[in-house]
Amino acid sequence: MESNRLRAVSDDAIDTANAALREVNLDLHAHPEVLFQEYHAHKVLTEFLESRGFDVQRQAFGLETAFKATYGSEPGRTVVVNLEYDALEAIGHACGHNLIATSGLAAVLGIAEAMKQGGLGGRVVAMGTPAEEGGGGKIKMIRAGAYDDAFCCLMVHPMSKNNAYSTSMCGSELTIEYIGKPAHAMVAPWEGINALDAVTLLHTSIGLLRQQILPSDRIRGVVLEAGQRSGVIPSYAKARYCVRSASLERYKILKQRFVNCLEAAALASGCELRTTWMPAYWDIRTNNALAGRYVTHMERLGVQFPSPAEQRAQGDCYSSDMGNVTYVVPSIHPTFAVDSPGGAIHTAHFAAAAATDDAHERTLKQGKAMAATGLEVLLDDVFAAQVKKEFDDTDRSIAQDPSVA
């Protein structure tokens, strides 16, 4: 059967590239770069892909550290594989994005070699997506048309468990500023408007609101600035908050209740309110057809998964801008287990685990499974139609509401 032959070609291509992929993996891990500053990663990844016959567009979609690397040609479907490569400040690749980039490279190399040997039409794209850790790189790329010609999008993320039906929380961060009026705190406090009072009222009202929100809702924040001297009424206060919920529909409701608290604090204290919202990270909506096929290929490679129902029941409290991609193109974002006994994701222990040989070998299996899934999209018209129908039948109208942007 042609699909079996080409899958073997893909697997062999990834195995052959193992040493080179390991070198890239360790290079990225040794040079962690934070959001929108991933210049070294951009250079390493684009040069790697260009040397293997991909047509590379650097500094793509208006972002200095984004790229698009394409193999193949029209006509045919386009399979996109997302690569992430930004790190966390101070603790490096504690989110394992070096592994995400490596798995993406493996997948596109496998698909490209199978396309070459099988004479397949269509295209495979390695999409370099910067600034997942708070910068919303994929959101900016969506708005610039990065996924307009994609049939589907694949990526994986290291975590503590194997879950092909992984979901995520929806939410955003914002910076809050309350502007009041200074006054001498002892001589004439009545002449002042206290910005610290506004932050205090906000924090108190959020604490009370938590009694009436869902267990899946999350609101947390920190005060960045609230005066300098006890003898002066603080005229300026600054805070940063995060608002998250389990779905875009629920986030819309929670966000409005949070905004009510913001505005009430301003009204009660007499302060002016200014807010700067980051683009919202939407919840991941997994394409079940793609996820089921990915599981088939992972199990072929010896990795077992719970039932789909059990996987969906596993709650996840992270957020990712990959969620936004799942609203515009059929997508999957499986998580895969990395052995990190000292600490979970976003810890120095996980950063160390992300450089191990064991993590790399698990990552190569992810690349093989993504490549095999992508090949089926290119080869099997019936399967591709199932993927598209599921996506088309899903109600995504909430994404058009400007209040959730």
Side-chain angles (χ1 to χ4, degrees):
M1 188 175 178
E2 182 68 358
S3 61
N4 290 339
R5 183 182 77 83
L6 293 181
R7 186 175 64 222
V9 168
S10 175
D11 286 353
D12 288 345
I14 293 170
D15 287 334
T16 300
N18 185 5
L21 290 167
R22 181 67 170 137
E23 184 178 342
V24 171
N25 183 357
L26 292 176
D27 191 355
L28 297 181
H29 190 274
H31 298 88
E33 300 165 301
V34 298
L35 69 170
F36 296 124
Q37 297 179 33
E38 312 95 331
Y39 299 107
H40 179 78
H42 180 275
K43 180 176 185 295
V44 168
L45 295 168
T46 55
E47 289 181 355
F48 182 95
L49 288 159
E50 194 168 56
S51 72
R52 283 155 177 80
F54 283 74
D55 180 20
V56 177
Q57 179 186 354
R58 294 173 169 84
Q59 292 88 44
F61 310 108
L63 300 176
E64 288 187 351
T65 53
F67 65 85
K68 179 180 182 180
T70 306
Y71 185 92
S73 60
E74 305 263 18
R77 291 178 279 271
T78 297
V79 174
V80 174
V81 181
N82 279 346
L83 281 66
E84 293 177 1
Y85 35 86
D86 59 320
L88 290 159
E89 188 173 355
I91 53 176
H93 278 292
C95 203
H97 289 191
N98 60 305
L99 302 179
I100 297 174
T102 303
S103 67
L105 288 181
V108 299
L109 289 183
I111 294 173
E113 186 60 28
M115 292 175 69
K116 179 180 178 181
Q117 294 197 29
L120 300 182
R123 296 181 296 175
V124 59
V125 173
M127 193 75 77
T129 65
E132 188 274 339
E133 296 289 354
K138 294 183 193 65
I139 301 172
K140 297 177 186 294
M141 294 172 71
I142 289 169
R143 293 172 179 173
Y147 298 89
D148 287 356
D149 60 352
F151 181 84
C152 68
C153 183
L154 316 173
M155 72 167 285
V156 294
H157 200 301
M159 287 276 190
S160 59
K161 60 190 174 185
N162 298 314
N163 189 335
Y165 299 87
S166 173
T167 186
S168 65
M169 299 189 76
C170 174
S172 180
E173 288 190 272
L174 75 155
T175 300
I176 303 158
E177 297 173 286
Y178 286 110
I179 297 90
K181 178 183 176 183
H184 195 294
M186 278 73 74
V187 174
W190 52 84
E191 293 182 359
I193 298 175
N194 196 320
L196 175 57
D197 285 353
V199 172
T200 302
L201 288 167
L202 171 64
H203 202 68
T204 301
S205 62
I206 295 301
L208 296 172
L209 176 63
R210 284 195 181 99
Q211 299 175 88
Q212 278 80 44
I213 61 178
L214 293 176
S216 57
D217 292 340
R218 298 286 189 275
I219 303 175
R220 66 179 190 273
V222 293
V223 178
L224 303 177
E225 185 178 343
Q228 301 295 322
R229 298 178 61 87
S230 63
V232 179
I233 298 293
S235 62
Y236 178 80
K238 184 176 183 180
R240 189 167 182 85
Y241 270 76
C242 178
V243 181
R244 290 184 180 179
S245 196
S247 69
L248 203 51
E249 290 83 359
R250 176 61 196 174
Y251 169 68
K252 177 183 176 181
I253 297 169
L254 184 64
K255 179 181 177 182
Q256 184 56 57
R257 298 185 73 180
F258 177 79
V259 168
N260 292 343
C261 294
L262 283 175
E263 294 175 347
L267 179 64
S269 64
C271 289
E272 176 188 350
L273 169 65
R274 297 175 187 167
T275 57
T276 304
W277 288 86
M278 296 290 291
Y281 282 24
W282 297 346
D283 53 306
I284 290 172
R285 295 198 171 183
T286 294
N287 185 275
N288 294 309
L290 286 171
R293 203 58 59 95
Y294 158 86
V295 168
T296 297
H297 294 300
M298 285 301 298
E299 292 184 338
R300 170 179 64 87
L301 295 165
V303 180
Q304 297 302 309
F305 286 76
S307 71
E310 290 174 301
Q311 292 177 67
R312 293 188 188 99
Q314 296 174 352
D316 291 300
C317 291
Y318 68 90
S319 292
S320 172
D321 55 3
M322 181 60 184
N324 300 64
V325 178
T326 69
Y327 276 79
V328 299
V329 62
S331 305
I332 57 171
H333 182 271
T335 63
F336 67 99
V338 168
D339 187 16
S340 177
I345 196 168
H346 283 214
T347 67
H349 296 286
F350 198 91
T356 61
D357 290 341
D358 180 68
H360 179 74
E361 290 306 314
R362 297 183 190 209
T363 297
L364 287 192
K365 289 183 179 180
Q366 300 298 318
K368 289 178 180 180
M370 282 196 291
T373 303
L375 280 173
E376 293 204 45
V377 169
L378 296 175
L379 284 165
D380 189 337
D381 292 340
V382 174
F383 173 59
Q386 292 173 347
V387 170
K388 187 176 188 303
K389 183 177 187 307
E390 179 185 331
F391 182 77
D392 290 344
D393 288 348
T394 302
D395 181 9
R396 303 183 305 280
S397 58
I398 183 66
Q400 306 305 315
D401 190 326
S403 70
V404 299

Coordinates of all heavy atoms in Angstrom, one line a residue, residues 29-107:
H29 N 18.5 24.9 22.9 CA 18.5 24.9 24.4 C 19.6 25.7 25.0 O 19.4 26.3 26.1 CB 18.6 23.4 24.8 CG 18.3 23.2 26.2 ND1 19.2 23.3 27.2 CD2 17.1 22.9 26.9 CE1 18.7 23.1 28.4 NE2 17.4 22.8 28.2
A30 N 20.8 25.7 24.4 CA 21.9 26.4 24.9 C 21.8 27.9 24.7 O 22.6 28.7 25.3 CB 23.2 25.9 24.3
H31 N 20.9 28.4 23.8 CA 20.8 29.8 23.5 C 19.3 30.2 23.7 O 18.7 30.6 22.7 CB 21.3 30.1 22.1 CG 22.7 29.7 21.8 ND1 23.1 28.5 21.4 CD2 23.8 30.5 21.9 CE1 24.4 28.5 21.3 NE2 24.9 29.7 21.6
P32 N 18.8 30.2 24.9 CA 17.4 30.6 25.1 C 17.2 32.1 24.8 O 18.0 32.9 25.3 CB 17.2 30.3 26.6 CG 18.6 30.3 27.2 CD 19.5 29.9 26.2
E33 N 16.1 32.4 24.1 CA 15.8 33.8 23.8 C 14.4 34.0 24.1 O 13.5 33.2 23.8 CB 16.1 34.0 22.3 CG 17.6 33.8 21.9 CD 17.7 33.7 20.4 OE1 17.1 32.7 19.8 OE2 18.5 34.5 19.8
V34 N 14.1 35.2 24.7 CA 12.7 35.5 25.0 C 11.9 36.0 23.9 O 12.5 36.3 22.8 CB 12.7 36.5 26.2 CG1 13.3 35.8 27.5 CG2 13.4 37.8 25.9
L35 N 10.6 36.3 24.1 CA 9.7 36.7 23.1 C 10.2 37.8 22.2 O 10.7 38.8 22.6 CB 8.3 37.0 23.6 CG 8.2 38.3 24.5 CD1 6.7 38.5 24.7 CD2 8.9 38.2 25.8
F36 N 10.0 37.6 20.9 CA 10.4 38.5 19.8 C 11.9 38.8 19.7 O 12.3 39.7 19.0 CB 9.6 39.8 19.9 CG 8.1 39.6 19.7 CD1 7.2 40.0 20.7 CD2 7.6 39.0 18.5 CE1 5.8 39.8 20.5 CE2 6.3 38.8 18.4 CZ 5.4 39.2 19.3
Q37 N 12.7 38.1 20.5 CA 14.2 38.3 20.4 C 14.9 37.0 20.0 O 16.1 36.8 20.3 CB 14.7 38.8 21.8 CG 14.2 40.1 22.2 CD 14.7 40.6 23.5 OE1 15.8 40.3 23.9 NE2 13.8 41.3 24.2
E38 N 14.2 36.1 19.3 CA 14.7 34.8 19.0 C 15.5 34.8 17.7 O 15.3 34.0 16.8 CB 13.5 33.8 18.8 CG 12.5 33.8 19.9 CD 11.3 34.7 19.6 OE1 11.5 35.6 18.8 OE2 10.2 34.4 20.1
Y39 N 16.5 35.7 17.7 CA 17.3 35.9 16.5 C 18.2 34.7 16.2 O 18.4 34.3 15.0 CB 18.2 37.1 16.6 CG 17.3 38.4 16.8 CD1 17.2 39.0 18.0 CD2 16.6 38.9 15.7 CE1 16.4 40.2 18.2 CE2 15.8 40.0 15.9 CZ 15.7 40.6 17.1 OH 14.9 41.7 17.3
H40 N 18.8 34.1 17.2 CA 19.7 32.9 17.0 C 18.8 31.8 16.5 O 19.2 31.1 15.5 CB 20.4 32.6 18.3 CG 21.3 31.4 18.1 ND1 22.5 31.4 17.5 CD2 21.1 30.1 18.5 CE1 23.1 30.2 17.5 NE2 22.2 29.4 18.1
A41 N 17.7 31.5 17.2 CA 16.8 30.4 16.7 C 16.4 30.6 15.3 O 16.3 29.6 14.5 CB 15.7 30.3 17.7
H42 N 16.0 31.8 15.0 CA 15.5 32.1 13.6 C 16.6 31.8 12.6 O 16.3 31.1 11.6 CB 15.2 33.6 13.5 CG 14.7 34.1 12.2 ND1 15.5 34.4 11.2 CD2 13.4 34.2 11.7 CE1 14.8 34.8 10.1 NE2 13.5 34.7 10.4
K43 N 17.8 32.1 12.9 CA 18.9 31.8 12.0 C 19.2 30.3 11.9 O 19.3 29.8 10.7 CB 20.2 32.6 12.5 CG 21.5 32.4 11.6 CD 22.6 33.2 12.1 CE 23.8 33.1 11.2 NZ 24.4 31.8 11.1
V44 N 19.3 29.7 13.0 CA 19.6 28.2 13.0 C 18.5 27.5 12.2 O 18.8 26.6 11.4 CB 19.7 27.7 14.4 CG1 19.7 26.2 14.5 CG2 20.9 28.3 15.1
L45 N 17.2 27.7 12.5 CA 16.1 27.0 11.9 C 16.0 27.3 10.4 O 15.8 26.3 9.6 CB 14.8 27.3 12.7 CG 14.8 26.8 14.1 CD1 13.6 27.4 14.9 CD2 14.8 25.3 14.2
T46 N 16.1 28.5 10.0 CA 15.9 28.8 8.6 C 17.1 28.3 7.8 O 16.9 27.8 6.7 CB 15.8 30.3 8.4 OG1 16.9 31.0 9.0 CG2 14.5 30.9 9.0
E47 N 18.3 28.3 8.3 CA 19.4 27.8 7.6 C 19.3 26.3 7.5 O 19.6 25.7 6.4 CB 20.7 28.2 8.3 CG 21.1 29.6 8.1 CD 22.4 30.0 8.8 OE1 23.0 29.2 9.4 OE2 22.8 31.2 8.6
F48 N 18.8 25.6 8.5 CA 18.6 24.2 8.5 C 17.6 23.8 7.4 O 17.9 22.9 6.6 CB 18.2 23.7 9.9 CG 17.9 22.2 10.0 CD1 18.9 21.4 10.5 CD2 16.8 21.6 9.6 CE1 18.8 20.0 10.6 CE2 16.6 20.3 9.7 CZ 17.6 19.5 10.2
L49 N 16.5 24.5 7.4 CA 15.5 24.2 6.4 C 15.9 24.5 5.0 O 15.7 23.7 4.0 CB 14.2 24.9 6.8 CG 13.5 24.3 8.0 CD1 12.6 25.4 8.6 CD2 12.7 23.1 7.7
E50 N 16.6 25.6 4.8 CA 17.0 26.0 3.5 C 18.0 25.0 2.9 O 18.0 24.7 1.7 CB 17.6 27.4 3.5 CG 17.8 28.1 2.2 CD 18.1 29.5 2.3 OE1 19.1 29.9 3.0 OE2 17.4 30.4 1.7
S51 N 18.9 24.5 3.8 CA 19.9 23.5 3.3 C 19.3 22.2 2.9 O 19.9 21.4 2.2 CB 20.9 23.3 4.4 OG 20.4 22.5 5.5
R52 N 18.0 22.0 3.3 CA 17.3 20.8 2.9 C 16.2 21.0 1.9 O 15.3 20.2 1.8 CB 16.8 20.1 4.2 CG 17.9 19.4 5.0 CD 17.6 19.3 6.4 NE 18.7 18.5 7.1 CZ 19.9 19.1 7.5 NH1 20.1 20.4 7.2 NH2 20.8 18.4 8.1
G53 N 16.4 22.0 1.1 CA 15.5 22.2 0.0 C 14.3 23.0 0.2 O 13.4 23.1 -0.8
F54 N 14.0 23.5 1.3 CA 12.8 24.3 1.6 C 13.0 25.8 1.1 O 14.1 26.3 1.1 CB 12.5 24.4 3.1 CG 11.9 23.1 3.6 CD1 12.6 21.9 3.8 CD2 10.5 23.1 3.9 CE1 12.0 20.8 4.2 CE2 9.9 21.9 4.3 CZ 10.7 20.8 4.5
D55 N 12.0 26.3 0.5 CA 11.9 27.7 0.1 C 11.6 28.5 1.4 O 10.5 28.5 1.9 CB 10.9 27.9 -1.0 CG 10.8 29.4 -1.4 OD1 11.7 30.1 -1.2 OD2 9.7 29.7 -2.0
V56 N 12.5 29.3 1.8 CA 12.4 30.0 3.1 C 12.1 31.5 3.0 O 12.8 32.2 2.3 CB 13.7 29.8 4.0 CG1 13.6 30.5 5.3 CG2 14.0 28.3 4.2
Q57 N 11.1 31.9 3.7 CA 10.7 33.3 3.8 C 11.1 33.8 5.2 O 10.4 33.4 6.2 CB 9.3 33.5 3.5 CG 8.8 35.0 3.6 CD 7.3 35.1 3.5 OE1 6.6 34.2 3.2 NE2 6.8 36.4 3.7
R58 N 12.1 34.6 5.3 CA 12.6 35.0 6.6 C 11.9 36.3 7.0 O 11.3 37.0 6.2 CB 14.1 35.3 6.6 CG 14.9 34.0 6.5 CD 16.4 34.3 6.3 NE 17.2 33.1 6.4 CZ 17.5 32.3 5.4 NH1 16.9 32.5 4.2 NH2 18.3 31.2 5.6
Q59 N 11.9 36.7 8.3 CA 11.3 37.9 8.8 C 9.8 38.0 8.2 O 9.4 39.0 7.7 CB 12.1 39.1 8.5 CG 13.4 39.3 9.3 CD 14.5 38.6 8.6 OE1 14.7 38.7 7.3 NE2 15.3 37.9 9.3
A60 N 9.1 36.9 8.4 CA 7.8 36.8 7.7 C 6.7 37.5 8.5 O 6.8 37.6 9.7 CB 7.5 35.3 7.5
F61 N 5.7 37.9 7.7 CA 4.4 38.4 8.3 C 4.6 39.6 9.3 O 3.9 39.8 10.3 CB 3.7 37.3 9.0 CG 3.5 36.1 8.2 CD1 4.2 34.9 8.4 CD2 2.7 36.1 7.1 CE1 4.1 33.8 7.6 CE2 2.5 35.0 6.2 CZ 3.3 33.8 6.5
G62 N 5.6 40.4 9.0 CA 5.9 41.6 9.7 C 6.6 41.4 11.0 O 6.7 42.3 11.8
L63 N 7.1 40.2 11.3 CA 7.8 39.9 12.5 C 9.2 39.5 12.2 O 9.5 38.6 11.4 CB 7.1 38.7 13.3 CG 5.6 39.0 13.7 CD1 5.0 37.8 14.3 CD2 5.5 40.2 14.6
E64 N 10.2 40.1 12.9 CA 11.6 39.8 12.6 C 12.0 38.4 12.9 O 13.0 37.9 12.2 CB 12.5 40.8 13.4 CG 12.4 42.2 13.0 CD 13.5 43.0 13.8 OE1 14.1 42.5 14.7 OE2 13.7 44.2 13.4
T65 N 11.4 37.7 13.8 CA 11.8 36.4 14.1 C 10.8 35.3 13.7 O 10.9 34.2 14.2 CB 12.1 36.3 15.6 OG1 11.0 36.7 16.4 CG2 13.3 37.1 16.0
A66 N 9.9 35.6 12.8 CA 9.0 34.6 12.3 C 9.5 34.2 10.9 O 10.3 34.9 10.3 CB 7.6 35.2 12.1
F67 N 9.1 33.0 10.5 CA 9.5 32.5 9.1 C 8.5 31.5 8.6 O 7.7 31.0 9.4 CB 10.9 31.9 9.1 CG 11.0 30.6 9.9 CD1 10.7 29.4 9.4 CD2 11.5 30.7 11.2 CE1 10.8 28.2 10.1 CE2 11.6 29.5 12.0 CZ 11.3 28.3 11.4
K68 N 8.5 31.3 7.3 CA 7.7 30.3 6.6 C 8.6 29.6 5.6 O 9.2 30.2 4.7 CB 6.6 31.0 5.9 CG 5.6 30.0 5.1 CD 4.5 30.8 4.4 CE 3.6 29.8 3.7 NZ 2.5 30.5 3.0
A69 N 8.7 28.3 5.8 CA 9.6 27.5 5.0 C 8.7 26.4 4.3 O 8.0 25.6 4.9 CB 10.6 26.8 5.8
T70 N 8.7 26.4 2.9 CA 7.8 25.6 2.1 C 8.5 24.6 1.3 O 9.5 24.9 0.6 CB 6.9 26.6 1.2 OG1 6.3 27.6 2.1 CG2 5.8 25.8 0.5
Y71 N 7.9 23.4 1.2 CA 8.4 22.4 0.3 C 7.2 21.9 -0.5 O 6.1 21.6 0.1 CB 9.0 21.2 1.0 CG 9.6 20.2 0.1 CD1 11.0 20.3 -0.3 CD2 8.9 19.2 -0.4 CE1 11.5 19.3 -1.2 CE2 9.4 18.2 -1.3 CZ 10.7 18.3 -1.7 OH 11.3 17.4 -2.5
G72 N 7.3 21.8 -1.8 CA 6.3 21.3 -2.7 C 5.7 22.4 -3.5 O 6.2 23.5 -3.6
S73 N 4.6 22.1 -4.2 CA 3.9 23.0 -5.1 C 2.5 22.7 -5.3 O 2.0 21.6 -4.9 CB 4.7 23.0 -6.4 OG 4.6 21.8 -7.0
E74 N 1.7 23.7 -5.8 CA 0.3 23.4 -6.1 C 0.3 22.5 -7.4 O 1.2 22.4 -8.1 CB -0.3 24.8 -6.5 CG -0.1 25.8 -5.4 CD -1.4 25.9 -4.5 OE1 -2.2 25.0 -4.5 OE2 -1.5 26.9 -3.8
P75 N -0.9 21.8 -7.6 CA -2.0 21.8 -6.8 C -1.9 20.8 -5.6 O -1.0 20.0 -5.7 CB -3.1 21.4 -7.7 CG -2.4 20.5 -8.7 CD -1.0 21.1 -8.9
G76 N -2.8 20.8 -4.7 CA -2.8 19.9 -3.6 C -3.0 20.6 -2.3 O -3.0 21.9 -2.3
R77 N -3.2 19.9 -1.2 CA -3.4 20.5 0.1 C -2.1 20.9 0.7 O -1.1 20.4 0.4 CB -4.2 19.5 1.0 CG -5.6 19.2 0.5 CD -6.3 18.2 1.4 NE -6.0 16.8 1.0 CZ -6.6 16.1 0.1 NH1 -7.6 16.6 -0.6 NH2 -6.2 14.8 -0.1
T78 N -2.2 21.9 1.6 CA -1.1 22.4 2.4 C -1.2 22.0 3.8 O -2.1 22.4 4.5 CB -1.0 24.0 2.2 OG1 -0.8 24.3 0.9 CG2 0.2 24.5 3.0
V79 N -0.2 21.3 4.3 CA -0.1 20.9 5.7 C 0.9 21.8 6.4 O 2.1 21.9 5.9 CB 0.4 19.4 5.8 CG1 0.6 19.1 7.3 CG2 -0.7 18.5 5.2
V80 N 0.5 22.5 7.4 CA 1.4 23.4 8.2 C 1.8 22.7 9.5 O 1.0 22.1 10.2 CB 0.7 24.7 8.5 CG1 1.5 25.6 9.4 CG2 0.4 25.5 7.2
V81 N 3.1 22.8 9.8 CA 3.6 22.3 11.1 C 4.2 23.5 11.8 O 5.1 24.2 11.3 CB 4.6 21.2 11.0 CG1 5.1 20.8 12.3 CG2 4.1 20.1 10.2
N82 N 3.6 23.9 13.0 CA 4.1 25.0 13.8 C 5.4 24.7 14.6 O 5.4 23.6 15.2 CB 3.0 25.5 14.8 CG 2.0 26.4 14.1 OD1 2.2 26.9 13.0 ND2 0.9 26.6 14.8
L83 N 6.3 25.6 14.5 CA 7.5 25.5 15.4 C 7.5 26.7 16.4 O 7.3 27.8 16.0 CB 8.8 25.6 14.5 CG 9.2 24.3 13.8 CD1 8.3 23.9 12.7 CD2 10.6 24.5 13.2
E84 N 7.7 26.4 17.6 CA 7.9 27.4 18.6 C 9.4 27.3 19.1 O 9.9 26.2 19.1 CB 7.0 27.2 19.8 CG 5.5 27.4 19.5 CD 4.6 27.2 20.7 OE1 5.0 26.8 21.8 OE2 3.4 27.3 20.5
Y85 N 9.9 28.4 19.6 CA 11.3 28.4 19.9 C 11.7 29.5 20.9 O 12.9 29.8 21.2 CB 12.2 28.5 18.7 CG 11.7 29.4 17.6 CD1 11.9 30.7 17.5 CD2 10.9 28.8 16.6 CE1 11.4 31.5 16.5 CE2 10.4 29.6 15.5 CZ 10.6 30.9 15.5 OH 10.1 31.7 14.5
D86 N 10.7 30.3 21.5 CA 11.0 31.3 22.5 C 11.2 30.6 23.8 O 10.6 29.5 24.1 CB 10.0 32.4 22.5 CG 8.6 31.9 22.8 OD1 8.2 30.8 22.3 OD2 7.8 32.5 23.6
A87 N 11.9 31.2 24.7 CA 12.2 30.7 26.0 C 11.6 31.6 27.1 O 11.0 32.7 26.8 CB 13.7 30.5 26.2
L88 N 11.7 31.2 28.3 CA 11.3 32.0 29.5 C 12.4 32.8 30.1 O 13.5 32.3 30.1 CB 10.7 31.0 30.5 CG 9.3 30.4 30.1 CD1 9.1 29.1 31.0 CD2 8.2 31.4 30.3
E89 N 12.1 33.9 30.5 CA 13.1 34.8 31.1 C 13.7 34.1 32.4 O 12.9 33.6 33.2 CB 12.5 36.1 31.5 CG 13.5 37.2 31.9 CD 12.9 38.6 32.1 OE1 11.8 38.7 31.8 OE2 13.7 39.4 32.6
A90 N 15.0 34.1 32.5 CA 15.7 33.6 33.7 C 15.8 32.1 33.8 O 16.8 31.6 34.3 CB 15.1 34.1 35.0
I91 N 14.8 31.3 33.3 CA 14.9 29.9 33.4 C 14.9 29.1 32.1 O 14.8 27.9 32.0 CB 13.7 29.3 34.3 CG1 12.4 29.8 33.8 CG2 13.9 29.7 35.7 CD1 11.2 29.2 34.5
G92 N 15.2 29.9 31.0 CA 15.5 29.2 29.7 C 14.3 28.4 29.1 O 13.1 28.8 29.2
H93 N 14.7 27.3 28.6 CA 13.6 26.5 27.9 C 12.9 25.6 28.9 O 12.8 24.3 28.7 CB 14.3 25.6 26.8 CG 14.5 26.5 25.5 ND1 13.4 26.9 24.8 CD2 15.6 26.9 24.9 CE1 13.8 27.6 23.7 NE2 15.1 27.6 23.8
A94 N 12.3 26.2 29.9 CA 11.5 25.5 30.9 C 10.1 25.1 30.4 O 9.4 24.5 31.1 CB 11.4 26.3 32.2
C95 N 9.8 25.6 29.2 CA 8.6 25.1 28.5 C 8.8 24.2 27.4 O 7.9 23.8 26.7 CB 7.8 26.4 28.0 SG 6.0 26.1 27.8
G96 N 10.1 23.9 27.2 CA 10.5 22.9 26.2 C 10.3 23.2 24.7 O 10.1 22.4 23.9
H97 N 10.3 24.5 24.4 CA 10.1 24.9 23.1 C 11.2 24.5 22.1 O 11.0 24.4 20.9 CB 9.9 26.5 23.0 CG 8.6 26.9 23.5 ND1 8.1 28.2 23.4 CD2 7.7 26.3 24.3 CE1 7.0 28.3 24.0 NE2 6.7 27.2 24.6
N98 N 12.4 24.2 22.7 CA 13.4 23.6 21.8 C 13.0 22.2 21.3 O 13.3 21.9 20.2 CB 14.7 23.4 22.6 CG 14.6 22.6 23.8 OD1 13.7 22.8 24.7 ND2 15.4 21.5 24.0
L99 N 12.2 21.5 22.1 CA 11.6 20.2 21.6 C 10.5 20.4 20.6 O 10.4 19.6 19.7 CB 11.1 19.4 22.8 CG 12.1 19.1 23.9 CD1 11.5 18.4 25.1 CD2 13.3 18.4 23.4
I100 N 9.7 21.5 20.8 CA 8.7 21.7 19.8 C 9.3 22.0 18.4 O 8.8 21.5 17.4 CB 7.8 22.9 20.3 CG1 7.1 22.6 21.6 CG2 6.8 23.3 19.2 CD1 6.3 23.8 22.2
A101 N 10.3 22.9 18.4 CA 11.0 23.2 17.2 C 11.6 21.9 16.5 O 11.5 21.7 15.3 CB 12.1 24.2 17.4
T102 N 12.2 21.1 17.4 CA 12.8 19.9 16.9 C 11.8 18.9 16.3 O 12.0 18.3 15.2 CB 13.6 19.2 18.0 OG1 14.6 20.1 18.5 CG2 14.3 17.9 17.5
S103 N 10.7 18.7 17.0 CA 9.6 17.8 16.5 C 9.1 18.4 15.2 O 8.8 17.6 14.3 CB 8.5 17.7 17.5 OG 7.8 18.9 17.7
G104 N 8.9 19.7 15.1 CA 8.4 20.3 13.8 C 9.4 20.1 12.7 O 9.0 19.7 11.5
L105 N 10.7 20.2 12.9 CA 11.7 20.0 11.9 C 11.6 18.5 11.4 O 11.6 18.2 10.2 CB 13.1 20.3 12.4 CG 13.5 21.7 12.6 CD1 14.9 21.8 13.1 CD2 13.4 22.5 11.3
A106 N 11.5 17.6 12.4 CA 11.5 16.2 12.0 C 10.3 15.9 11.2 O 10.3 15.2 10.1 CB 11.4 15.3 13.3
A107 N 9.1 16.5 11.5 CA 7.9 16.2 10.8 C 8.0 16.7 9.4 O 7.6 16.0 8.4 CB 6.7 16.9 11.5

